[in-house]
Amino acid sequence: MIEKAKQLVDAAKSKMNDAVKFLEEDLKTYRAGKANPVVFNNVVVDYYGSMMPIAQVASITVPDAKTIMIQPWEKKMIPVIEKAIIDANIGFTPQNNGEAIRCNVPPLTEDRRKELIKKAHAAGESAKVVVRNARRDAIDAIKKLVKEGLAEDIQKDQEAATQKETDAAVKKIDELIAAKEKDILTV
């Protein structure tokens, strides 16, 4: 019984860590005024009938702080990639020279900064919901084990361990959001 209770806490911890990792990766895709190829991670193109991320059909480089170059492996992919970038609505206007696509990183406007901060806070709140749901599920399962014969003092210990993991995950989420907000506000 004790092992099963510990497994429930570990499973909840794993779900919480996954939520934090997902948020961390998601926040990397927010454009903060500096050239970063990660902003194209969620942009997909139609490549012979399958939807593929741009990084799988082209090389993405950053020649300087305000420019991102996309070099497709096949020239006929240039218009497809351009359309995908425009459709993704990530704030870039692609320009092609027949060989590669250049995206100049425009400075963030005040409105865009506020919009990105609001989006970051919403993503953080979603991650916190996942963390809280994992805590609730673990505590409910531990309470069911009490009905099956788990000692109440062990129940309290496991619930406290679950709460400790929850607090740690929420703190990490708050730190990630604060860091991203600072990054967005840095001109």
Side-chain angles (χ1 to χ4, degrees):
M1 281 293 190
I2 296 171
E3 276 305 308
K4 192 163 185 163
K6 287 182 179 177
Q7 287 174 348
L8 291 168
V9 173
D10 289 343
K13 180 181 178 181
S14 176
K15 284 181 187 174
M16 292 175 192
N17 288 338
D18 288 347
V20 171
K21 285 178 189 161
F22 179 82
L23 176 66
E24 208 167 352
E25 290 303 311
D26 186 41
L27 290 177
K28 287 180 185 175
T29 65
Y30 293 23
R31 187 172 64 82
K34 296 180 284 295
N36 185 349
V38 178
V39 298
F40 292 111
N41 281 1
N42 297 330
V43 181
V44 291
V45 295
D46 184 3
Y47 185 69
Y48 295 110
S50 344
M51 297 310 280
M52 307 274 261
I54 287 181
Q56 292 185 6
V57 297
S59 65
I60 303 173
T61 57
V62 181
D64 60 60
K66 295 288 180 192
T67 309
I68 300 175
M69 289 291 287
I70 302 168
Q71 179 77 47
W73 293 315
E74 297 175 33
K75 281 189 181 179
K76 67 179 187 170
M77 289 302 295
I78 290 177
V80 177
I81 293 173
E82 278 185 307
K83 182 176 179 349
I85 293 170
I86 292 168
D87 292 348
N89 195 21
I90 53 177
F92 291 115
T93 306
Q95 304 156 344
N96 91 61
N97 61 8
E99 298 286 323
I101 299 168
R102 175 186 305 271
C103 292
N104 292 319
V105 180
L108 290 176
T109 63
E110 192 62 33
D111 289 342
R112 181 72 177 142
R113 288 178 198 275
K114 287 177 183 173
E115 186 181 313
L116 283 173
I117 289 171
K118 191 184 285 187
K119 186 177 171 186
H121 282 282
E125 201 50 51
S126 294
K128 287 179 185 178
V129 167
V130 171
V131 167
R132 290 184 198 116
N133 286 343
R135 176 191 64 193
R136 184 197 62 226
D137 293 346
I139 288 177
D140 288 350
I142 290 169
K143 285 180 180 173
K144 285 181 184 167
L145 287 179
V146 170
K147 292 177 183 171
E148 296 173 16
L150 182 72
E152 282 190 28
D153 60 334
I154 295 172
Q155 171 202 0
K156 296 293 181 203
D157 290 346
Q158 297 307 315
E159 286 181 3
T162 304
Q163 185 60 47
K164 182 179 169 195
E165 294 300 334
T166 302
D167 294 343
V170 168
K171 182 176 185 237
K172 179 72 175 155
I173 289 169
D174 288 339
E175 289 169 0
L176 288 170
I177 298 300
K180 192 62 183 183
E181 187 172 348
K182 183 180 177 207
D183 186 33
I184 291 169
L185 290 175
T186 302
V187 179

